[in-house]
Amino acid sequence: MAAAAAASTAASPSSGGGGSSTASPSPPGYSVDVRIFLVVITAAMAISFGVGVAFGPTTAAELAAARTMAAQQQQRSLLAAQEAVAAAGVGGVGGVGGDTANKSLSAGTKMVQQPRRLPTDHAVELGARVRNLNEKHVNYEKPSYEDLGDGTIVQRASAHDSAGGFDDDDEHLPQGQHLLVDIKNVNAEFLNSESRLADAMVSVVESAGLTLLSYHCHSLSPAGVSCVGVLLESHISFHTWPEEGVITLDLFTCGPKPLLPVIRDIEAKFGLPRLKANATATAAANPTKDDYEEVKSQWAHELRGFRHPQGRKNNYLDDQSDLAFWVTGEMDMEVKKQIVSTESPFQRIDIWDILDMDDTPSHQDGIKHNLTPDDPRWLTNEVASPERLLFLDGTLQSMSESEREYHEALVHPAMFAHPHPERVAIVGGGEGATLREVLKHDTVTEAVMIELDEMMVDIAKEHLPFMSDCSDLVGSAPSCFDDERATVLYEDGRAYFFDKYGPSAAEKTEEEKFDVIVLDALDPEDDAEIADKLYTDDAFLTALYRSMSDDGVLIIQVGTAPSIHDPRADLGVYARREKMFKLLEGHSETAAMFVYEEAHCGFLEPHSFLVVCKSDGCRKRWYAESDEIDFAIYERILDTKSSEPALVHFDGSTQRSYQIPPRAWETVYCRREPEPFECAYRGLDLTKEIHEFDWGDEEENSFEVKVTKGPDGKNEPRVYAATDDIKKGDYIMASDLAASFTVSDDSLDNLKKNTELVGTGRVTVIENLLEYVDRHGHRSIAPGSSTNYVEVGGSFMIRRSDNEAEVNIGKWIPTHPSGKIPVYSPVYERRMRSFDVFLVATRDIEEGEEIVKPVNLWA
């Protein structure tokens, strides 16, 4: 039918050309009934189909041969159409080589046009294009380089799987690993040679311990090669752009053998450098290392398919792991260099250097490279230093650019919550940075670091030396591990405390106990068996308490901070953290707990920490003013040889930012069941009225002041409801009470001492102030607080009474049902000032009735 159609086309009049033509008369034809024509055609098709079934190919080989012939016929038709278009002057083979490439081909070889690439002369992207290639070729119909194998079914040895540390059954699951590698600045002749590329592919497959079944390479025009290798495990494929010096490679395996070690081999086998565009003829003839461009690569790895959840969780390269998120899964990185990848007897340890494409120089980079203000390199990554990341079991632990912020936030709030820390214990902290921060306090006489993994410490000393660098501290050693105050024990921290401070251990003296304990282990939300033993074992927590002095402070890093969208804490991923919190809250020796966040640790979300105190007195130091903390830093922190501050992040103002827990902690806390009592007082009740005292505006003034004789005969002011009835729960003089000033116990003590100076006579003003504070001030309801609130508005004139019948106002938040403030409550910590000053009507108060408060209102 195709031939008939062609003949019909040839016989038809041409529609092209110019001029007019006269239609010739039609020759006489034959009249055929269309019904007869359709019957004949249908019968012919049926007969053809029957003959094909009876005498056509029946075996698999014959069917495959038939399909091949059909495909070749289809391809010949396509190429014939291309040649026809080319003969008509449309299109043609463009680019380098052109007709020369056609002439160099053997007879019968056909050419396929590769899509034209746009010039990429931008040196930042791919460098200069190669204009002259020694090898021009194209072959589409048949692979020019291939190895079809012998068809033998290959059985993989079981030892091949066990060596990777994976289950034999892994290879049978619908899952795999995918590795993508892009390399640029590669030699053009190499990228244009099927044989050399095929050799490199075979070498990579062999060195990776994979099994190559066959491979196929096609050369393209004007340049480039596409290859695919069929593996027993899956496939390897790549495509090259010789002019641009680029190759992109894709390796997928269904087996369990790790692919990350293959990356270096791929870079070595395929990363042959090309000469610089400006290389001289002499350099081209006898090039040196400096005459070549730097070969650059970027790659990404991910787990593919459908894995069992436990299998994904246990794989340190799972896309939910930090290592995959920060390093292996990211393609667009300027630097991605593996420094350490090993397994200790206890954990997997990975250290990487990374530099993002859009990173810019740090302050130290600018100093190092003498960057001037107008230097354009401030806006590029040309002189930016890579960041070094530490991962344990795939979880990000530390980042070189932000580890000081993290470790200062971990250590110093707890250290300054203790009046004079001498003995400090560190559980974990194998990098040495926690030890470094502890040793900055001159009060410390001994720092005991209990680390299970000695290999981790050795690796940190070699590859993370900046984290244990004490060389700038006056009186310390170059390495913090060698400081005479430091003791490093390589043992299980949990067993250490059980053995020395557990229920069966002898009672220790105060001198043998620790003033501060830093729990610098894995995050509570990490799904590891050891996390349960550290954070949810009441016996272990009791051993910690037994090891702490009377003023002891425990600091725990508790992982990612919550958000207001989190579910009830015991239901979500932070269930273990919630269980630990409740164990600590219920422990008889817990006096106070403070949670805080630090957003500058380098992690994607703020990191959170928990300080636990055995003494109420720690509350006073926790809520110290910023100048008090700054003075304590000045007195306690060691001097440096460089005269630079020993602390780069923590100071008094930083501590002030830690004192009020963020709103999300309160929100999640109040999702507990049953809801904590104080959660009903997270804001003023907008349905209630506020009754103010206003001296100058009678219409707005809700109260009237009358002067009467007191029991001692002196005139006393009394306050009455003046214009309106006051409903139960309405707020009394809120503005005046909010204006109360605060004074600390220390300030009052200093004032009292001033009045006792000999030879100065009476200090009337100070004495009157002290008398006023004593009469109209009250201490915060928070246990251990040293803050006093002094009323200065109309509220100070309200009469006190011990007769409950006449008392009609009281504290906004009633006394907690337990009789004391909870040791942990973000609600109280966030709203303590409001709870310390605001008053409400405890019953309905009629117009003209006197306002009376109880004598022991703030007791």
Side-chain angles (χ1 to χ4, degrees):
M1 290 181 65
S8 175
T9 303
S12 63
S14 171
S15 59
S20 61
S21 63
T22 304
S24 59
S26 300
Y30 298 94
S31 175
V32 179
D33 191 324
V34 67
R35 291 171 294 180
I36 297 175
F37 173 77
L38 292 175
V39 170
V40 171
I41 291 298
T42 303
M45 291 175 62
I47 294 171
S48 298
F49 180 76
V51 171
V53 172
F55 301 101
T58 58
T59 66
E62 290 175 333
L63 288 172
R67 293 191 191 99
T68 302
M69 292 176 62
Q72 290 175 346
Q73 176 61 37
Q74 183 180 11
Q75 185 61 34
R76 280 193 289 269
S77 299
L78 174 62
L79 291 174
Q82 291 177 340
E83 289 175 348
V85 174
V90 181
V93 178
V96 181
D99 294 335
T100 305
N102 265 328
K103 294 174 183 178
S104 67
L105 298 175
S106 60
T109 302
K110 304 301 180 182
M111 180 177 291
V112 65
Q113 174 69 38
Q114 178 169 268
R116 184 65 180 144
R117 299 182 295 274
L118 295 176
T120 53
D121 292 333
H122 199 298
V124 174
E125 294 179 1
L126 298 173
R129 290 170 60 111
V130 175
R131 292 298 180 185
N132 297 308
L133 293 175
N134 296 327
E135 190 176 354
K136 316 293 180 189
H137 47 254
V138 63
N139 190 331
Y140 184 84
E141 278 194 312
K142 183 178 180 181
S144 57
Y145 232 81
E146 64 178 347
D147 180 355
L148 298 178
D150 58 5
T152 303
I153 298 176
V154 180
Q155 178 66 46
R156 188 206 308 270
S158 60
H160 180 73
D161 296 326
S162 61
F166 293 82
D167 192 318
D168 251 2
D169 292 336
D170 281 359
E171 63 180 295
H172 306 298
L173 298 176
Q175 60 189 39
Q177 302 175 70
H178 201 178
L179 180 64
L180 304 174
V181 183
D182 297 345
I183 309 175
K184 71 176 182 176
N185 299 335
V186 181
N187 179 273
E189 282 71 26
F190 169 72
L191 295 181
N192 213 35
S193 170
E194 304 101 311
S195 61
R196 297 172 68 184
L197 290 166
D199 288 344
M201 176 176 62
V202 172
S203 177
V204 166
V205 170
E206 290 177 349
S207 64
L210 303 172
T211 305
L212 184 65
L213 300 179
S214 65
Y215 64 82
H216 315 265
C217 292
H218 292 271
S219 55
L220 305 173
S221 175
V225 176
S226 287
C227 287
V228 61
V230 180
L231 307 176
L232 176 64
E233 297 80 5
S234 187
H235 73 267
I236 179 173
S237 62
F238 58 81
H239 184 80
T240 70
W241 290 263
E243 294 176 332
E244 288 86 355
V246 170
I247 178 172
T248 61
L249 184 144
D250 163 26
L251 174 59
F252 183 89
T253 65
C254 299
K257 200 169 187 67
L259 289 186
L260 287 187
V262 184
I263 296 171
R264 290 186 180 179
D265 207 39
I266 291 174
E267 292 172 338
K269 296 296 193 304
F270 288 95
L272 277 66
R274 66 178 180 180
L275 287 171
K276 294 178 179 177
N278 59 357
T280 63
T282 303
N286 188 23
T288 64
K289 183 178 179 180
D290 293 337
D291 295 321
Y292 289 102
E293 290 192 57
E294 179 187 0
V295 174
K296 294 187 176 182
S297 66
Q298 55 188 30
W299 57 267
H301 174 283
E302 66 176 356
L303 300 183
R304 295 285 302 280
F306 299 92
R307 296 171 178 266
H308 189 280
Q310 190 64 37
R312 297 196 71 98
K313 185 167 55 178
N314 293 341
N315 196 313
Y316 73 102
L317 290 177
D318 177 64
D319 57 9
Q320 297 298 314
S321 76
D322 291 338
L323 181 56
F325 182 87
W326 289 88
V327 182
T328 61
E330 285 292 317
M331 191 79 177
D332 299 331
M333 282 192 173
E334 184 71 20
V335 176
K336 191 191 302 189
K337 182 179 180 183
Q338 188 178 65
I339 307 301
V340 172
S341 181
T342 187
E343 289 198 26
S344 77
F346 307 102
Q347 58 195 341
R348 179 172 188 86
I349 304 169
D350 291 278
I351 299 177
W352 289 80
D353 282 349
I354 64 170
L355 182 69
D356 285 339
M357 292 289 189
D358 55 355
D359 279 346
T360 53
S362 66
H363 173 68
Q364 291 300 324
D365 290 332
I367 295 175
K368 178 181 178 181
H369 296 280
N370 298 313
L371 299 187
T372 58
D374 58 349
D375 195 313
R377 291 177 294 176
W378 282 114
L379 303 177
T380 71
N381 62 23
E382 183 178 347
V383 296
S385 298
E387 184 171 21
R388 182 155 292 189
L389 276 56
L390 168 66
F391 300 88
L392 298 180
D393 290 329
T395 300
L396 180 62
Q397 301 296 313
S398 298
M399 311 170 76
S400 60
E401 291 183 1
S402 55
E403 64 86 8
R404 295 189 70 177
E405 290 96 318
Y406 169 82
H407 288 99
E408 288 187 13
L410 170 67
V411 171
H412 299 296
M415 293 292 285
F416 284 106
H418 193 283
H420 196 269
E422 296 182 2
R423 296 192 77 235
V424 179
I426 303 168
V427 181
E431 314 102 309
T434 302
L435 177 64
R436 177 194 67 204
E437 298 304 319
V438 167
L439 293 175
K440 291 179 181 180
H441 290 253
D442 65 4
T443 59
V444 173
T445 58
E446 183 180 14
V448 180
M449 178 177 141
I450 307 111
E451 167 61 50
L452 180 63
D453 196 346
E454 186 173 2
M455 183 185 289
M456 176 66 246
V457 175
D458 292 339
I459 289 174
K461 289 179 180 179
E462 180 179 357
H463 299 287
L464 305 168
F466 55 90
M467 298 185 75
S468 58
D469 183 7
C470 283
S471 61
D472 197 33
L473 295 179
V474 174
S476 187
S479 171
C480 301
F481 293 113
D482 298 326
D483 191 294
E484 62 181 8
R485 298 170 293 166
T487 301
V488 181
L489 305 175
Y490 297 110
E491 57 182 285
D492 187 315
R494 185 171 179 273
Y496 171 87
F497 282 97
F498 269 123
D499 292 343
K500 293 188 175 298
Y501 302 96
S504 60
E507 185 66 29
K508 299 295 189 295
T509 64
E510 280 294 293
E511 291 73 22
E512 296 175 293
K513 295 182 179 181
F514 294 108
D515 298 311
V516 176
I517 298 176
V518 184
L519 205 56
D520 185 19
L522 70 171
D523 293 347
E525 67 259 33
D526 288 347
D527 193 4
E529 182 180 354
I530 187 62
D532 281 325
K533 295 179 179 179
L534 285 177
Y535 299 116
T536 62
D537 185 350
D538 187 54
F540 173 61
L541 295 176
T542 298
L544 289 178
Y545 274 108
R546 285 170 57 87
S547 73
M548 293 163 60
S549 60
D550 291 341
D551 286 327
V553 178
L554 171 66
I555 174 67
I556 310 171
Q557 66 92 7
V558 291
T560 305
S563 81
I564 60 173
H565 306 292
D566 288 348
R568 204 175 75 208
D570 61 333
L571 299 179
V573 296
Y574 304 117
R576 184 183 288 112
R577 179 167 70 189
E578 176 74 354
K579 184 176 180 180
M580 178 190 69
F581 272 50
K582 289 189 174 181
L583 284 175
L584 291 167
E585 292 171 52
H587 202 283
S588 60
E589 294 193 70
T590 301
M593 295 168 56
F594 307 105
V595 69
Y596 62 100
E597 295 179 6
E598 176 53 66
H600 298 89
C601 298
F603 304 109
L604 295 179
E605 298 178 86
H607 213 69
S608 55
F609 306 86
L610 176 68
V611 166
V612 185
C613 304
K614 285 184 70 175
S615 167
D616 282 341
C618 124
R619 182 179 294 274
K620 171 185 176 182
R621 291 179 289 276
W622 181 259
Y623 284 104
E625 296 292 336
S626 58
D627 57 335
E628 294 180 77
I629 297 295
D630 287 335
F631 183 69
I633 291 173
Y634 170 79
E635 281 197 314
R636 189 189 292 184
I637 297 298
L638 289 174
D639 292 333
T640 61
K641 299 172 186 176
S642 64
S643 298
E644 294 292 326
L647 304 182
V648 299
H649 181 68
F650 182 84
D651 60 9
S653 296
T654 304
Q655 175 62 25
R656 288 283 285 178
S657 72
Y658 296 159
Q659 291 172 356
I660 306 300
R663 178 72 174 269
W665 285 97
E666 177 186 72
T667 301
V668 174
Y669 172 81
C670 288
R671 289 182 178 141
R672 288 181 173 182
E673 293 183 2
E675 183 182 81
F677 162 79
E678 63 273 20
C679 292
Y681 298 89
R682 283 179 284 169
L684 297 184
D685 188 343
L686 299 181
T687 66
K688 303 297 182 181
E689 292 189 24
I690 298 177
H691 300 272
E692 297 285 12
F693 180 82
D694 192 333
W695 291 94
D697 192 335
E698 293 296 332
E699 293 184 1
E700 295 295 328
N701 195 350
S702 297
F703 304 98
E704 179 184 9
V705 177
K706 299 179 180 179
V707 179
T708 62
K709 293 287 185 180
D712 57 359
K714 295 182 179 179
N715 290 336
E716 291 183 354
R718 295 193 178 184
V719 180
Y720 297 83
T723 57
D724 295 307
D725 292 342
I726 298 175
K727 301 296 183 181
K728 180 180 179 180
D730 285 355
Y731 297 95
I732 306 298
M733 301 184 187
S735 297
D736 285 356
L737 291 168
S740 301
F741 72 86
T742 61
V743 57
S744 67
D745 287 345
D746 290 339
S747 296
L748 292 176
D749 289 342
N750 287 333
L751 288 172
K752 291 175 182 177
K753 290 177 182 178
N754 287 338
T755 65
E756 297 169 0
L757 293 176
V758 178
T760 59
R762 286 178 54 81
V763 188
T764 306
V765 174
I766 297 177
E767 290 175 341
N768 290 344
L769 174 61
L770 292 173
E771 182 179 352
Y772 183 88
V773 170
D774 185 60
R775 180 172 177 80
H776 301 292
H778 64 271
R779 183 181 295 276
S780 169
I781 62 175
S785 173
S786 67
T787 301
N788 298 276
Y789 296 91
V790 184
E791 299 173 24
V792 293
S795 62
F796 83 89
M797 295 182 290
I798 298 176
R799 181 169 66 88
R800 295 180 175 85
S801 174
D802 55 7
N803 183 355
E804 294 185 5
E806 63 177 347
V807 169
N808 50 24
I809 65 172
K811 294 181 295 185
W812 170 36
I813 182 170
T815 301
H816 193 276
S818 67
K820 61 179 182 180
I821 292 178
V823 295
Y824 171 71
S825 172
V827 179
Y828 274 103
E829 303 305 333
R830 284 177 55 80
R831 306 178 187 281
M832 191 67 75
R833 182 180 176 93
S834 297
F835 294 164
D836 275 332
V837 297
F838 286 141
L839 300 175
V840 296
T842 56
R843 59 175 174 81
D844 291 344
I845 304 174
E846 296 180 356
E847 180 182 349
E849 184 178 351
E850 184 181 6
I851 308 299
V852 183
K853 58 186 176 183
V855 172
N856 60 347
L857 175 63
W858 301 106

